[in-house]
Amino acid sequence: SKPAFSINQKDLITEGIAYNPKTKSYYLSSIHQRKILAVSPNGTTKDFSTESDGLWSVSGMRVDAKRQILWVCSSVFPQMRGFKKEDDGKAGVFKYDLKTGKLLKKYLLSNETEKHALGDLVLNKKGDVFATDSISPYIYSVDPKQDKLEVFIKSDLFSSLQGATFTPDEKTIFVAD
């Protein structure tokens, strides 16, 4: 194999990568810099997100190629620039239009009763989003018709949920824990 591209920024602390097959672009998340980088097919990079989007540390991301949406997990982590202790445990899923780069919506979780860390997400063919929480024992879902983040499943057996994937028929979801 050979490198697809190189990034000159050394202070990103990258966590997630997503690929858009329609534009042949990559998206890289940054835990430290609180942003998303876009990498074009020729390897040039630019900031995809803006500071006004209100991202915290950015971890897992997925491209919904059919709908041209970028789904992003963002959580408050001590490693991020501008960390404030009172924000610790806040998290959310952010929805971006890939055609315009515009932030369409934030689906936020409160840290008032328990802390959260949304680390990864997966999409089914209908465009439903399922996000894993690495701190609290939940898998959340965003149903495009309901347009809100809600608990999909909770289990006290969960300890640190990570990546997820579906079986080909999408009747079963596998989650690393």
Side-chain angles (χ1 to χ4, degrees):
S1 65
K2 62 180 184 167
F5 54 84
S6 296
I7 304 296
N8 291 329
Q9 291 180 286
K10 303 295 182 200
D11 61 349
L12 293 173
I13 308 177
T14 55
E15 175 79 15
I17 186 168
Y19 178 69
N20 186 349
K22 285 195 176 179
T23 62
K24 298 184 177 15
S25 299
Y26 288 90
Y27 300 90
L28 302 174
S29 68
S30 173
I31 295 291
H32 180 66
Q33 292 296 334
R34 304 172 63 166
K35 68 180 180 179
I36 302 164
L37 289 177
V39 183
S40 71
N42 69 7
T44 59
T45 62
K46 68 176 185 173
D47 287 352
F48 175 78
S49 59
T50 66
E51 204 167 303
S52 64
D53 294 345
L55 287 168
W56 303 300
S57 291
V58 184
S59 49
M61 302 181 297
R62 291 286 184 268
V63 169
D64 182 338
K66 180 179 178 181
R67 295 160 192 85
Q68 286 299 284
I69 299 292
L70 178 65
W71 292 95
V72 176
C73 289
S74 185
S75 304
V76 174
F77 292 143
Q79 297 90 342
M80 73 183 204
R81 188 184 70 221
F83 172 77
K84 295 179 185 166
K85 182 70 176 154
E86 63 269 18
D87 291 334
D88 192 23
K90 289 183 179 178
V93 173
F94 290 56
K95 178 182 179 181
Y96 285 91
D97 183 326
L98 283 170
K99 293 175 197 154
T100 64
K102 180 181 176 193
L103 174 64
L104 298 174
K105 185 159 183 177
K106 299 178 194 181
Y107 303 86
L108 302 179
L109 297 170
S110 168
N111 65 341
E112 291 177 17
T113 57
E114 57 192 336
K115 292 182 178 185
H116 303 280
L118 298 181
D120 206 357
L121 49 84
V122 66
L123 310 173
N124 65 16
K125 291 176 188 136
K126 295 187 307 185
D128 299 327
V129 177
F130 299 85
T132 58
D133 193 326
S134 300
I135 294 178
S136 295
Y138 300 101
I139 298 173
Y140 295 94
S141 65
V142 178
D143 181 331
K145 292 177 181 129
Q146 298 295 320
D147 200 34
K148 69 179 196 176
L149 187 65
E150 51 194 13
V151 174
F152 173 69
I153 189 169
K154 176 188 180 189
S155 174
D156 291 334
L157 297 174
F158 297 153
S159 61
S160 180
L161 297 172
Q162 302 295 317
T165 191
F166 285 102
T167 55
D169 64 5
E170 296 187 340
K171 290 183 179 179
T172 305
I173 186 171
F174 291 99
V175 181
D177 186 13

